[in-house]
Amino acid sequence: MSDIKFSKDETDRIVSKVKSYFVEELDYDIGGFEAEFLIEFFANEIGPYFYNRGLSDANSIFSEKTEEIGYLVQELEKPTTRGFNSEVRHPPMQPEGIPEKQLQAV
């Protein structure tokens, strides 16, 4: 994970939120300098947990959508025939490891 850098405007807004929280919730006035150090601490020590959770969530969604696309592509399969006048249709191939009940739900 590379370091996350915020613009001056973003940093100012975050510092303002931290300062407001301290005053409203803890009845303690924290300076901007202290707030920036606190933000840096949380970003370095706790930020990776949030970052990793975001990656995990994104990966789960990507996997689900990729599976859905696979089913949609299967639905595009054309029936195959034997000979010139034969109307024999073969069902689409079932992907390995996916129960029939789960395929019917799609």
Side-chain angles (χ1 to χ4, degrees):
M1 175 175 114
S2 61
D3 289 342
I4 297 172
K5 301 292 182 196
F6 295 108
S7 70
K8 170 108 174 78
D9 182 53
E10 290 170 323
T11 301
D12 291 345
R13 284 187 282 159
I14 295 169
V15 165
S16 176
K17 288 179 181 278
V18 169
K19 290 175 67 174
S20 293
Y21 175 82
F22 269 76
V23 168
E24 293 168 12
E25 300 295 328
L26 304 174
D27 197 27
Y28 184 79
D29 192 17
I30 185 174
F33 193 64
E34 292 86 359
E36 284 191 50
F37 273 115
L38 187 60
I39 292 165
E40 186 175 329
F41 168 77
F42 280 118
N44 291 333
E45 299 298 322
I46 298 170
Y49 290 97
F50 286 94
Y51 180 83
N52 291 343
R53 176 60 59 91
L55 287 178
S56 177
D57 291 349
N59 188 45
S60 294
I61 290 170
F62 182 77
S63 293
E64 290 172 14
K65 296 302 178 185
T66 301
E67 189 174 330
E68 287 177 25
I69 291 170
Y71 294 137
L72 292 172
V73 169
Q74 275 187 330
E75 290 177 2
L76 296 174
E77 286 185 3
K78 302 288 185 197
T80 56
T81 60
R82 284 189 257 160
F84 289 105
N85 294 322
S86 178
E87 289 291 328
V88 177
R89 294 175 184 239
H90 299 283
M93 294 176 56
Q94 178 179 344
E96 289 185 31
I98 300 175
E100 182 67 30
K101 184 169 70 173
Q102 191 176 19
L103 283 175
Q104 291 170 351
V106 175

